[in-house]
Amino acid sequence: MKRFFKSICLLLVVGILFMQGGSSSYASHLDNGVDSHLTGDTEDRTYIDDAGTAETPEDLKELNISNDLTITYNDGNGQLSGSLRILLTLTLIAIAPLLLLMLTCYTRIIIVLHFTRAALNTNTAPPNQVLIGIALFLTFFIMNPTLTKAYNEAVLPLDRGEITQEQAIVRGIEPFRDFMYGQTQTKDVELFMQIAEVEWDGALETIPNYILIPSFIISELRAAFIIGFIIYIPFIVIDMIVASVLMSMGMMMLPPTTISMPFKILLFVLADGWNLIIGSLVSSFNR
């Protein structure tokens, strides 16, 4: 065991002496602090221009004074980078259904169509897919001037590089603000202004988006329910007439809705109900 430790100590001493000899041998090849084992002529400069001589960004790119890693950000001169634009685009696509529901006339249209179906007592005719499709196409029809204005004033100048992203967002939201403000009642705006404890001088420019949007939604719900109530009135009259006739005939066990539904459909068809409802919905928006 002692011999084993002595052998290890001897090997350590030999290794230390070998390292010292190698370092001294390497130092002997140094001439004036320059390693002659390195490739290239040490008398030539390894950089193109002296530090501080760059006058333009192009000269700065050509400057190379050391073996450092240099990262130069030059993506749109202060604009958002391409990857960030993709992220914002995907986020906008994800919240597009919410914007479609809340910032357009879709809410009023779909509620009125559901009231119409409920008043007819047809349950699933037309089906939900058809009602949603009608509401979407009517929304695009009514919102076409607003969408066109936002595209011309925000999207096109942004693509041409005439405005920044912040300016595009402001210009793009302005047509929607004008549309929402035209459909929003003053008392709804005052309600949210009081809740938020914000002073309002009655001008559109002083209404924040977080107040204008819920005020617009409340106004749309009110208008949709008023239109739905008006649609219900003639069909309620038919139900009352049918129920009175059945009671006078002693047929109280027969549900009045079963008999009144064909009369409702007949009245709706003769009065061209879809034309009246769609026309009233479109005209209810100040286009």
Side-chain angles (χ1 to χ4, degrees):
M1 193 68 177
K2 293 181 179 179
R3 292 180 180 180
F4 176 73
F5 283 111
K6 288 181 180 181
S7 300
I8 292 178
C9 294
L10 181 61
L11 291 175
L12 289 175
V13 172
V14 172
I16 292 173
L17 293 176
F18 177 79
M19 293 174 62
Q20 290 179 352
S23 62
S24 61
S25 174
Y26 176 78
S28 62
H29 293 283
L30 295 177
D31 185 12
N32 295 328
V34 180
D35 186 5
S36 60
H37 291 282
L38 299 179
T39 60
D41 190 355
T42 57
E43 295 180 357
D44 295 335
R45 297 187 306 174
T46 59
Y47 54 89
I48 300 175
D49 297 320
D50 295 329
T53 59
E55 298 180 355
T56 63
E58 290 74 15
D59 296 339
L60 183 61
K61 292 181 180 180
E62 298 294 335
L63 186 62
N64 180 21
I65 60 175
S66 64
N67 295 324
D68 295 335
L69 176 62
T70 303
I71 300 177
T72 304
Y73 179 79
N74 185 19
D75 187 6
N77 191 19
Q79 304 292 327
L80 294 177
S81 63
S83 58
L84 186 55
R85 286 186 180 183
I86 294 175
L87 177 61
L88 293 177
T89 303
L90 294 177
T91 303
L92 182 60
I93 293 175
I95 64 175
L98 177 62
L99 297 178
L100 175 64
L101 293 176
M102 298 293 101
L103 303 184
T104 63
C105 56
Y106 179 84
T107 302
R108 184 189 304 186
I109 295 174
I110 194 65
I111 291 177
V112 170
L113 292 180
H114 275 282
F115 269 120
T116 303
R117 187 177 66 178
L120 288 171
N121 196 27
T122 54
N123 296 328
T124 58
N128 291 329
Q129 292 84 350
V130 175
L131 293 183
I132 293 173
I134 295 174
L136 287 175
F137 280 105
L138 287 178
T139 299
F140 290 136
F141 174 76
I142 296 172
M143 298 297 298
N144 182 62
T146 302
L147 296 174
T148 303
K149 185 177 180 180
Y151 180 78
N152 293 332
E153 295 183 359
V155 178
L156 289 181
L158 179 63
D159 289 339
R160 292 193 295 261
E162 299 175 356
I163 58 176
T164 62
Q165 284 83 7
E166 292 79 7
Q167 293 174 338
I169 293 175
V170 174
R171 291 188 181 185
I173 197 64
E174 281 302 320
F176 291 93
R177 285 175 55 87
D178 294 337
F179 172 79
M180 289 187 293
Y181 184 72
Q183 307 299 324
T184 304
Q185 296 190 9
T186 304
K187 61 181 180 180
D188 294 328
V189 178
E190 293 176 348
L191 170 65
F192 286 97
M193 284 289 186
Q194 294 176 0
I195 295 175
E197 298 181 354
V198 178
E199 297 293 335
W200 183 40
D201 57 0
L204 170 62
E205 293 75 13
T206 58
I207 304 178
N209 290 329
Y210 70 91
I211 290 180
L212 180 59
I213 293 175
S215 303
F216 168 73
I217 295 172
I218 296 299
S219 298
E220 286 294 284
L221 291 176
R222 180 186 296 106
F225 273 77
I226 291 175
I227 297 175
F229 172 75
I230 296 175
I231 293 174
Y232 252 102
I233 292 177
F235 298 107
I236 291 177
V237 173
I238 294 177
D239 286 333
M240 294 176 63
I241 294 175
V242 171
S244 299
V245 172
L246 291 178
M247 289 183 65
S248 63
M249 297 175 60
M251 303 175 63
M252 292 178 292
M253 299 301 295
L254 182 63
T257 55
T258 304
I259 305 300
S260 64
M261 186 176 68
F263 292 99
K264 291 179 181 179
I265 296 175
L266 178 62
L267 174 63
F268 193 76
V269 172
L270 293 177
D272 198 2
W274 290 116
N275 185 282
L276 294 176
I277 292 175
I278 299 302
S280 300
L281 272 176
V282 175
S283 61
S284 64
F285 297 94
N286 300 323
R287 300 183 71 246

